[in-house]
Amino acid sequence: MYKRQLLARISETIDELSNGRFTLGVGAGDFLTEHDAFGYPWERRISRFEEALQIIRPMLAGRAVTFDGEFYATRDAVNLPRGPRADGLPVLIGVLGRGPRMRRLVAQYADQWNCWLGHADSHASAYVEIRDAMLAACERHGRDPVSLVRNVTPRICPTGAAALSQDMKPLSGTPAEIAEQLHAFERLGVNHVSAWPHPNNEQSIVTLARALE
């Protein structure tokens, strides 16, 4: 019962320690193995996530939260002392699936949205349809799409590395070629890229560093 309130409190503390540089990334969880490993219930996870957001979001904004839900309850839960940002730290919601409920929660509760591309086609061309669906959800739920900070997480492979499956289409090539593929996201309005190197070794990290240069 107390995990959601505690998460908000821990996040505020990290934001204080980082001098206002922390972003809280949250999601409903998409892997049964992770839920089993940590003892979290898998059933109705998006409903649980929505209730958690109704506690975490106002707490981070400095409000005392009394909430009676199906899964969670609070009584005047409040973050004190406050962190370094008067309006609270930003909340990022990551979305792996393509369901309308998660798009709605992003539109209603997120400062930032992360589009996970690493398990399929990581190219900017695959992002366009997903982005358009998210921006349409913002319009549908009364959110200004311009106010949503956009992140993507592509898989990046240096020249010669093989993808894990045929469905995976990572960004690949020389550092210059990878750089151009990253610029394609920028041209589509992406604010941040979280790179997922494959394989996760020194060669991949060095290639990514040269691409960023």
Side-chain angles (χ1 to χ4, degrees):
M1 179 179 294
Y2 302 104
K3 293 184 179 71
R4 275 66 195 169
Q5 302 92 296
L6 182 59
L7 176 61
R9 191 70 200 96
I10 291 171
S11 300
E12 193 92 22
T13 301
I14 296 173
D15 200 41
E16 176 69 35
L17 293 172
S18 66
N19 195 28
R21 292 180 293 150
F22 183 65
T23 297
L24 174 60
V26 292
D30 289 283
F31 297 100
L32 176 60
T33 52
E34 293 179 345
H35 284 72
D36 287 344
F38 293 101
Y40 296 132
W42 171 258
E43 295 77 15
R44 302 187 63 193
R45 61 192 183 280
I46 297 179
S47 296
R48 294 174 189 273
F49 180 54
E50 182 167 7
E51 284 198 6
L53 288 169
Q54 294 176 70
I55 297 170
I56 294 169
R57 186 80 244 202
M59 283 187 66
L60 293 178
R63 299 198 294 273
V65 181
T66 296
F67 180 84
D68 286 295
E70 184 178 354
F71 305 103
Y72 309 117
T74 64
R75 295 290 179 272
D76 293 321
V78 63
N79 270 347
L80 289 174
R82 295 285 292 139
R85 287 181 273 189
D87 295 331
L89 58 100
V91 173
L92 176 149
I93 295 180
V95 178
L96 178 60
R98 303 289 181 255
R101 288 184 68 191
M102 286 299 293
R103 288 198 292 265
R104 173 178 62 81
L105 294 180
V106 169
Q108 292 177 332
Y109 294 101
D111 300 294
Q112 304 180 24
W113 159 56
N114 185 60
C115 175
W116 184 270
L117 298 176
H119 281 113
D121 189 345
S122 288
H123 293 82
S125 57
Y127 166 73
V128 174
E129 182 179 351
I130 304 169
R131 178 205 60 184
D132 290 348
M134 181 61 73
L135 299 185
C138 288
E139 297 274 9
R140 190 162 51 251
H141 297 289
R143 168 72 176 273
D144 181 0
V146 175
S147 69
L148 184 65
V149 177
R150 301 167 206 174
N151 303 257
V152 296
T153 302
R155 185 178 286 262
I156 300 178
C157 297
T159 301
L164 294 178
S165 73
Q166 291 183 344
D167 294 333
M168 236 172 246
K169 298 177 182 177
L171 308 186
S172 61
T174 65
E177 290 168 339
I178 292 173
E180 176 53 33
Q181 293 169 76
L182 292 174
H183 278 303
F185 285 110
E186 182 182 28
R187 291 191 289 270
L188 291 173
V190 171
N191 303 98
H192 303 284
V193 173
S194 304
W196 184 12
H198 172 75
N200 192 6
N201 59 19
E202 183 176 355
Q203 179 190 1
S204 294
I205 299 299
V206 168
T207 300
L208 179 58
R210 289 175 178 164
L212 294 177
E213 289 175 354

PDB file of all heavy atoms in Angstrom, residues 56-68:
ATOM      1  N   ILE A  56       0.955   9.809  -6.920  1.00  0.00           N
ATOM      2  CA  ILE A  56       2.315  10.323  -7.125  1.00  0.00           C
ATOM      3  C   ILE A  56       2.303  11.730  -7.713  1.00  0.00           C
ATOM      4  O   ILE A  56       3.019  12.618  -7.252  1.00  0.00           O
ATOM      5  CB  ILE A  56       3.102   9.365  -8.043  1.00  0.00           C
ATOM      6  CG1 ILE A  56       3.320   8.022  -7.356  1.00  0.00           C
ATOM      7  CG2 ILE A  56       4.437   9.979  -8.462  1.00  0.00           C
ATOM      8  CD1 ILE A  56       3.860   6.943  -8.276  1.00  0.00           C
ATOM      9  N   ARG A  57       1.482  11.948  -8.746  1.00  0.00           N
ATOM     10  CA  ARG A  57       1.511  13.218  -9.452  1.00  0.00           C
ATOM     11  C   ARG A  57       1.195  14.408  -8.540  1.00  0.00           C
ATOM     12  O   ARG A  57       1.951  15.373  -8.498  1.00  0.00           O
ATOM     13  CB  ARG A  57       0.520  13.133 -10.616  1.00  0.00           C
ATOM     14  CG  ARG A  57       0.518  14.313 -11.566  1.00  0.00           C
ATOM     15  CD  ARG A  57       1.656  14.220 -12.537  1.00  0.00           C
ATOM     16  NE  ARG A  57       2.564  15.309 -12.361  1.00  0.00           N
ATOM     17  CZ  ARG A  57       3.409  15.745 -13.274  1.00  0.00           C
ATOM     18  NH1 ARG A  57       3.455  15.150 -14.445  1.00  0.00           N
ATOM     19  NH2 ARG A  57       4.230  16.719 -13.044  1.00  0.00           N
ATOM     20  N   PRO A  58       0.097  14.399  -7.791  1.00  0.00           N
ATOM     21  CA  PRO A  58      -0.169  15.545  -6.905  1.00  0.00           C
ATOM     22  C   PRO A  58       0.808  15.664  -5.750  1.00  0.00           C
ATOM     23  O   PRO A  58       1.110  16.775  -5.306  1.00  0.00           O
ATOM     24  CB  PRO A  58      -1.599  15.306  -6.417  1.00  0.00           C
ATOM     25  CG  PRO A  58      -1.868  13.869  -6.657  1.00  0.00           C
ATOM     26  CD  PRO A  58      -1.042  13.469  -7.827  1.00  0.00           C
ATOM     27  N   MET A  59       1.335  14.545  -5.251  1.00  0.00           N
ATOM     28  CA  MET A  59       2.341  14.633  -4.192  1.00  0.00           C
ATOM     29  C   MET A  59       3.579  15.373  -4.680  1.00  0.00           C
ATOM     30  O   MET A  59       4.133  16.214  -3.980  1.00  0.00           O
ATOM     31  CB  MET A  59       2.722  13.240  -3.685  1.00  0.00           C
ATOM     32  CG  MET A  59       1.712  12.611  -2.752  1.00  0.00           C
ATOM     33  SD  MET A  59       2.327  11.044  -2.035  1.00  0.00           S
ATOM     34  CE  MET A  59       3.692  11.634  -1.010  1.00  0.00           C
ATOM     35  N   LEU A  60       4.015  15.082  -5.905  1.00  0.00           N
ATOM     36  CA  LEU A  60       5.189  15.755  -6.448  1.00  0.00           C
ATOM     37  C   LEU A  60       4.922  17.242  -6.692  1.00  0.00           C
ATOM     38  O   LEU A  60       5.860  18.043  -6.726  1.00  0.00           O
ATOM     39  CB  LEU A  60       5.626  15.082  -7.754  1.00  0.00           C
ATOM     40  CG  LEU A  60       6.162  13.657  -7.624  1.00  0.00           C
ATOM     41  CD1 LEU A  60       6.506  13.095  -8.998  1.00  0.00           C
ATOM     42  CD2 LEU A  60       7.375  13.594  -6.717  1.00  0.00           C
ATOM     43  N   ALA A  61       3.653  17.600  -6.858  1.00  0.00           N
ATOM     44  CA  ALA A  61       3.288  19.006  -7.063  1.00  0.00           C
ATOM     45  C   ALA A  61       3.121  19.748  -5.740  1.00  0.00           C
ATOM     46  O   ALA A  61       2.784  20.926  -5.745  1.00  0.00           O
ATOM     47  CB  ALA A  61       2.009  19.097  -7.885  1.00  0.00           C
ATOM     48  N   GLY A  62       3.331  19.037  -4.610  1.00  0.00           N
ATOM     49  CA  GLY A  62       3.283  19.698  -3.316  1.00  0.00           C
ATOM     50  C   GLY A  62       1.947  19.636  -2.613  1.00  0.00           C
ATOM     51  O   GLY A  62       1.754  20.299  -1.580  1.00  0.00           O
ATOM     52  N   ARG A  63       1.014  18.830  -3.138  1.00  0.00           N
ATOM     53  CA  ARG A  63      -0.307  18.761  -2.518  1.00  0.00           C
ATOM     54  C   ARG A  63      -0.401  17.575  -1.570  1.00  0.00           C
ATOM     55  O   ARG A  63       0.216  16.519  -1.798  1.00  0.00           O
ATOM     56  CB  ARG A  63      -1.387  18.651  -3.599  1.00  0.00           C
ATOM     57  CG  ARG A  63      -1.411  19.836  -4.544  1.00  0.00           C
ATOM     58  CD  ARG A  63      -2.728  19.933  -5.299  1.00  0.00           C
ATOM     59  NE  ARG A  63      -2.941  18.827  -6.208  1.00  0.00           N
ATOM     60  CZ  ARG A  63      -2.494  18.804  -7.475  1.00  0.00           C
ATOM     61  NH1 ARG A  63      -1.773  19.814  -7.949  1.00  0.00           N
ATOM     62  NH2 ARG A  63      -2.754  17.784  -8.258  1.00  0.00           N
ATOM     63  N   ALA A  64      -1.192  17.732  -0.522  1.00  0.00           N
ATOM     64  CA  ALA A  64      -1.518  16.617   0.374  1.00  0.00           C
ATOM     65  C   ALA A  64      -2.580  15.764  -0.307  1.00  0.00           C
ATOM     66  O   ALA A  64      -3.569  16.285  -0.824  1.00  0.00           O
ATOM     67  CB  ALA A  64      -2.017  17.135   1.710  1.00  0.00           C
ATOM     68  N   VAL A  65      -2.379  14.446  -0.326  1.00  0.00           N
ATOM     69  CA  VAL A  65      -3.232  13.559  -1.108  1.00  0.00           C
ATOM     70  C   VAL A  65      -3.977  12.592  -0.190  1.00  0.00           C
ATOM     71  O   VAL A  65      -3.362  11.818   0.555  1.00  0.00           O
ATOM     72  CB  VAL A  65      -2.405  12.753  -2.134  1.00  0.00           C
ATOM     73  CG1 VAL A  65      -3.320  11.846  -2.950  1.00  0.00           C
ATOM     74  CG2 VAL A  65      -1.636  13.692  -3.052  1.00  0.00           C
ATOM     75  N   THR A  66      -5.281  12.666  -0.236  1.00  0.00           N
ATOM     76  CA  THR A  66      -6.137  11.658   0.364  1.00  0.00           C
ATOM     77  C   THR A  66      -6.820  10.918  -0.774  1.00  0.00           C
ATOM     78  O   THR A  66      -7.478  11.545  -1.617  1.00  0.00           O
ATOM     79  CB  THR A  66      -7.185  12.286   1.295  1.00  0.00           C
ATOM     80  OG1 THR A  66      -6.508  12.913   2.394  1.00  0.00           O
ATOM     81  CG2 THR A  66      -8.140  11.231   1.831  1.00  0.00           C
ATOM     82  N   PHE A  67      -6.632   9.617  -0.809  1.00  0.00           N
ATOM     83  CA  PHE A  67      -7.098   8.847  -1.964  1.00  0.00           C
ATOM     84  C   PHE A  67      -7.632   7.500  -1.487  1.00  0.00           C
ATOM     85  O   PHE A  67      -6.984   6.807  -0.692  1.00  0.00           O
ATOM     86  CB  PHE A  67      -5.944   8.631  -2.946  1.00  0.00           C
ATOM     87  CG  PHE A  67      -6.305   7.847  -4.179  1.00  0.00           C
ATOM     88  CD1 PHE A  67      -6.879   8.480  -5.275  1.00  0.00           C
ATOM     89  CD2 PHE A  67      -6.071   6.480  -4.254  1.00  0.00           C
ATOM     90  CE1 PHE A  67      -7.208   7.770  -6.414  1.00  0.00           C
ATOM     91  CE2 PHE A  67      -6.397   5.759  -5.388  1.00  0.00           C
ATOM     92  CZ  PHE A  67      -6.967   6.402  -6.478  1.00  0.00           C
ATOM     93  N   ASP A  68      -8.807   7.135  -1.960  1.00  0.00           N
ATOM     94  CA  ASP A  68      -9.397   5.828  -1.678  1.00  0.00           C
ATOM     95  C   ASP A  68      -9.692   5.141  -2.999  1.00  0.00           C
ATOM     96  O   ASP A  68     -10.667   5.493  -3.685  1.00  0.00           O
ATOM     97  CB  ASP A  68     -10.689   5.977  -0.862  1.00  0.00           C
ATOM     98  CG  ASP A  68     -10.414   6.332   0.584  1.00  0.00           C
ATOM     99  OD1 ASP A  68      -9.825   5.494   1.293  1.00  0.00           O
ATOM    100  OD2 ASP A  68     -10.778   7.450   0.999  1.00  0.00           O
TER     101      ASP A  68
END
